[in-house]
Amino acid sequence: MLRHFAQGNEEVVEDLLKKLPGLTVDSDGTIKVGNQEIEKVMVDYDDFFEKGYKVLTKNMPVSPIEKVELLQHYSNNKHLKGVENSDKVALNLVLKNDAKRQWFGNIKLGYGVVSENRYEVRSNLMNFGKKNKYYFLTNLNNIGEDATGDVNNLIYSYSSDEHIGDNERNHTILGLDSYVPNIKAKRTNFNNAELLSLNGIFTLSKKVKLKSLVFLNKDEHQFFKNSYQSFFANNILFENTELFQLNKDRLIGFGKLDLTYDIAKNKTLAITSKFNKTNEKDRSDLLFNDALLNERLQSNNQLLDNKIIFTNKLSGNKVLLLSGRAIQEKTPQEYGLNQFVYQDLFSQNATNVSQLSENKMQFYGVEGHLLDRKKKGDLFELKIGNQYRTDQLNTTFQLKNDVVVLEEPLGYQNQTHYATNDLYALGKYNYKFKKWALSTQVEAHQLFNSLSLFEEKSTQNPFFINPKVGFEWTLNKKNKIFSSYALNRTNATLLNVYNGYIHTGFRSFSRATGSFNQLDASSALFNYTYGSWGDKFFANTFLLYSKNHDFLVPILLLRKTIHNRIKLLLRIEK
């Protein structure tokens, strides 16, 4: 029972989970059982946020919770329970009886009397009925409290089931960040956060359930660093004074709908639709001795993601899943630098520079997945699918005199269109014999790549196979050994194939290869575990060997004070 572990000073769910044995909560709110992150946090077996569970655990009060259940060998799809090999874990918050089927909530107000204009406002309004569930929350503070965790876990929510398209995201070219000291995050988080989340789960009928989520988050982050350095060598003395300030403003609007329709006892149709709109404005001011350097970056993101999964449990131990997905994402950016520090590169008498980038991605995929659990416990899996992705990257680098564009240098512009069609098949067989288990996997890919750089077009149609083998030996209830070996070839991404230089910071440019690449890697894993997470003593040891047989490191650095010129380091090792 929770009363054995709670100390009475817990305010939100995260505070309570930190007290429970076997659970660890990282500084960013990630919850782990042993060394494994949990899959989700549910309320009476209903899930609001999936991998974005930190929004719940960082805000929901502990008062209505009766107990916390840990669900081992958890399956996100109810038809896969007992069929798939699942090592996933999830948490379920069981509510007290007097907290069900009625509206309740709380509000917390705080204002700094001694500190200047420091405040916190937190409120929760909930109704967890048998038919419908509602959870509304707000959080406003400028005291450094993180109310959301990494919101990308909500926007790009995924599970270890590896649904088609889960890893498909657009690529961001530029970002303004700074080193943060390794101390408590709240002490370095100068924020002004405003969060509103409206969530509902509606049981429309015995067969139909609808989940809706609306998430609005506005935040302002400030960071500053002042440093002084004195150098003395060979009777030469010089000093550097650096004053740095970074401001990051972000506004996120996110909406999600989940519809689940139980067509029959053994058939389910699940449809998910997500929309995200993010606007970011970053401002960096660096005063180095007497020189002032200002960077300005405006980034936008627009995401539309639709997914459909049909599950048919053909028999007690055989399941067929049919999936389809369509994703569209845009990430345009505008960058400006108030100084011109590239006199050794360009002859123009410019005073500042700017860069405009337009990056678009579209993804479409279909997949069939068959799981067949044999009578002896063996599991056979077969996947067949096709994924098509197209990327378009246009960048424009400009030399300016105030607002007048003087030149768009040749070789510093990009018009790249990259498309890849992946026709693939995966076969996997897990063989069990008493205390032994052997897993074999073969994955075949036929790629159809096309690349357009300005007016130059090229195509490529490679075929490759990725094998993997694993071995597990359960010596007894306490000791378990697992090892695996895999060969993996991956296709080039957009950031590997563009051919014009891109401005990636006031001291650097970068350029890719301008050609197709498939990179080979291999890995070997040895894992030994003693006991389990609930034991008084639990040990988990692993050795990992990974080798990149082919890799590319294209880097362009401006080192004016050392070599007074641009150097390009392009290393290809085999």
Side-chain angles (χ1 to χ4, degrees):
M1 299 296 291
L2 293 182
R3 63 176 178 268
H4 298 311
F5 306 104
Q7 298 176 353
N9 60 346
E10 300 83 10
E11 295 184 2
V12 296
V13 172
E14 183 178 273
D15 298 333
L16 176 63
L17 297 180
K18 292 178 180 179
K19 308 290 179 62
L20 300 183
L23 297 181
T24 57
V25 182
D26 293 344
S27 59
D28 64 351
T30 301
I31 304 170
K32 294 182 180 180
V33 177
N35 292 325
Q36 180 180 354
E37 183 181 357
I38 65 170
E39 194 73 7
K40 59 180 66 173
V41 177
M42 297 178 286
V43 178
D44 277 352
Y45 299 101
D46 275 319
D47 176 34
F48 284 101
F49 301 102
E50 296 181 344
K51 278 291 186 178
Y53 59 79
K54 298 171 189 176
V55 177
L56 176 75
T57 57
K58 287 180 175 291
N59 292 280
M60 183 176 175
V62 300
S63 55
I65 299 175
E66 173 68 25
K67 61 181 178 179
V68 178
E69 294 179 336
L70 177 67
L71 308 177
Q72 295 180 282
H73 308 294
Y74 180 78
S75 294
N76 288 297
N77 189 326
K78 63 181 180 181
H79 297 300
L80 296 179
K81 185 174 180 60
V83 178
E84 66 173 344
N85 288 329
S86 173
D87 60 353
K88 297 185 287 287
V89 290
L91 295 182
N92 179 51
L93 308 178
V94 180
L95 301 178
K96 300 176 182 177
N97 288 328
D98 57 1
K100 299 179 181 180
R101 294 176 291 279
Q102 63 178 335
W103 287 96
F104 68 96
N106 69 337
I107 185 170
K108 176 182 178 181
L109 302 174
Y111 186 81
V113 178
V114 178
S115 59
E116 181 180 354
N117 194 29
R118 295 297 176 188
Y119 64 88
E120 180 184 18
V121 178
R122 178 186 294 166
S123 66
N124 295 267
L125 181 62
M126 295 159 277
N127 186 318
F128 299 107
K130 186 175 181 180
K131 188 174 182 180
N132 300 323
K133 291 181 172 65
Y134 305 91
Y135 180 34
F136 308 146
L137 67 97
T138 60
N139 190 313
L140 297 84
N141 80 88
N142 66 353
I143 60 173
E145 289 286 353
D146 181 7
T148 65
D150 186 357
V151 294
N152 285 330
N153 288 325
L154 180 66
I155 299 172
Y156 301 99
S157 186
Y158 64 94
S159 70
S160 53
D161 294 332
E162 298 182 358
H163 291 143
I164 186 171
D166 276 350
N167 297 320
E168 303 297 331
R169 294 179 56 179
N170 214 358
H171 304 289
T172 302
I173 303 300
L174 263 169
L176 300 184
D177 292 293
S178 180
Y179 167 75
V180 178
N182 187 22
I183 57 177
K184 191 174 182 180
K186 185 176 178 180
R187 298 185 178 183
T188 61
N189 186 23
F190 295 88
N191 70 327
N192 187 12
E194 300 171 3
L195 166 67
L196 171 65
S197 184
L198 308 175
N199 317 281
I201 300 176
F202 310 94
T203 304
L204 304 181
S205 69
K206 292 183 179 180
K207 295 185 176 182
V208 182
K209 179 176 287 188
L210 178 67
K211 299 180 183 180
S212 65
L213 184 154
V214 176
F215 178 89
L216 298 173
N217 180 225
K218 183 178 183 297
D219 207 348
E220 301 172 3
H221 289 274
Q222 295 182 348
F223 178 82
F224 65 90
K225 179 180 68 175
N226 299 334
S227 64
Y228 169 81
Q229 295 176 318
S230 179
F231 299 89
F232 178 79
N234 296 329
N235 297 322
I236 299 176
L237 174 65
F238 64 95
E239 300 172 345
N240 286 333
T241 302
E242 181 177 323
L243 306 178
F244 175 78
Q245 181 168 339
L246 176 65
N247 296 276
K248 301 172 73 71
D249 299 341
R250 180 171 61 180
L251 175 63
I252 300 175
F254 176 74
K256 180 182 178 183
L257 288 175
D258 284 301
L259 178 67
T260 304
Y261 174 38
D262 290 326
I263 302 172
K265 188 177 180 179
N266 63 328
K267 297 178 182 178
T268 299
L269 182 68
I271 302 174
T272 300
S273 183
K274 296 190 291 187
F275 176 79
N276 177 67
K277 180 71 174 179
T278 300
N279 295 324
E280 293 189 53
K281 292 183 178 180
D282 299 344
R283 304 179 302 279
S284 170
D285 300 313
L286 172 63
L287 181 62
F288 185 79
N289 294 336
D290 295 326
L292 179 62
L293 196 71
N294 303 126
E295 290 182 280
R296 300 293 183 263
L297 176 64
Q298 180 169 333
S299 305
N300 298 301
N301 176 278
Q302 182 174 308
L303 170 70
L304 180 62
D305 184 357
N306 295 287
K307 178 176 61 176
I308 182 170
I309 301 176
F310 171 72
T311 307
N312 185 3
K313 194 166 188 178
L314 303 175
S315 64
N317 296 317
K318 186 181 295 185
V319 181
L320 174 66
L321 296 95
L322 301 176
S323 307
R325 195 160 189 173
I327 305 174
Q328 296 180 340
E329 189 172 14
K330 302 177 182 178
T331 55
Q333 291 186 313
E334 297 182 13
Y335 173 82
L337 177 65
N338 74 320
Q339 295 285 348
F340 182 70
V341 294
Y342 313 117
Q343 291 83 358
D344 298 318
L345 276 177
F346 312 106
S347 58
Q348 292 285 353
N349 189 22
T351 60
N352 60 93
V353 301
S354 68
Q355 180 173 270
L356 306 176
S357 66
E358 184 181 22
N359 195 355
K360 300 178 182 178
M361 182 272 284
Q362 291 182 325
F363 171 85
Y364 304 96
V366 292
E367 181 181 89
H369 185 191
L370 175 67
L371 298 93
D372 185 6
R373 173 73 68 177
K374 305 299 182 180
K375 292 182 179 180
K376 294 182 179 180
D378 299 352
L379 177 62
F380 170 71
E381 293 186 58
L382 176 64
K383 281 185 182 181
I384 299 177
N386 189 84
Q387 299 182 17
Y388 174 78
R389 171 168 172 157
T390 176
D391 289 272
Q392 183 175 341
L393 173 65
N394 297 327
T395 65
T396 303
F397 179 69
Q398 299 175 333
L399 308 181
K400 292 183 174 181
N401 186 355
D402 294 330
V403 296
V404 178
V405 178
L406 301 178
E407 184 183 1
E408 296 179 356
L410 186 65
Y412 291 81
Q413 321 300 321
N414 283 280
Q415 289 184 15
T416 304
H417 185 273
Y418 180 52
T420 178
N421 190 81
D422 183 8
L423 178 63
Y424 62 94
L426 179 147
K428 186 176 181 180
Y429 196 91
N430 290 326
Y431 175 77
K432 282 191 174 183
F433 180 75
K434 295 183 179 180
K435 296 182 179 181
W436 306 77
L438 177 67
S439 63
T440 58
Q441 177 178 309
V442 177
E443 189 174 351
H445 294 266
Q446 175 63 63
L447 298 179
F448 303 91
N449 295 331
S450 66
L451 177 62
S452 175
L453 303 171
F454 291 97
E455 300 300 326
E456 297 183 7
K457 296 182 180 180
S458 56
T459 60
Q460 181 198 46
N461 303 319
F463 173 81
F464 57 87
I465 295 177
N466 292 332
K468 181 179 180 181
V469 61
F471 171 77
E472 184 177 310
W473 181 20
T474 303
L475 286 75
N476 49 49
K477 293 182 180 180
K478 292 287 187 179
N479 297 273
K480 182 185 292 185
I481 294 175
F482 174 79
S483 63
S484 66
Y485 180 78
L487 295 174
N488 189 48
R489 174 173 289 187
T490 57
N491 195 30
T493 66
L494 174 68
L495 297 184
N496 301 128
V497 298
Y498 69 89
N499 67 338
Y501 291 115
I502 292 181
H503 194 259
T504 56
F506 73 90
R507 288 180 291 189
S508 63
F509 293 82
S510 70
R511 187 181 73 175
T513 61
S515 61
F516 298 110
N517 292 286
Q518 283 80 47
L519 306 181
D520 292 329
S522 60
S523 62
L525 172 68
F526 177 84
N527 174 242
Y528 168 74
T529 58
Y530 177 84
S532 63
W533 64 270
D535 296 338
K536 292 183 178 179
F537 178 78
F538 170 64
N540 183 23
T541 304
F542 68 90
L543 297 174
L544 175 64
Y545 173 79
S546 178
K547 179 179 180 181
N548 292 310
H549 302 274
D550 304 298
F551 60 95
L552 303 172
V553 188
I555 303 175
L556 181 65
L557 298 175
L558 179 61
R559 301 183 181 276
K560 182 177 178 182
T561 58
I562 301 177
H563 296 294
N564 201 33
R565 60 187 178 92
I566 292 291
K567 292 190 67 178
L568 172 64
L569 172 61
L570 176 58
R571 182 174 62 184
I572 304 178
E573 296 189 5
K574 291 191 175 183

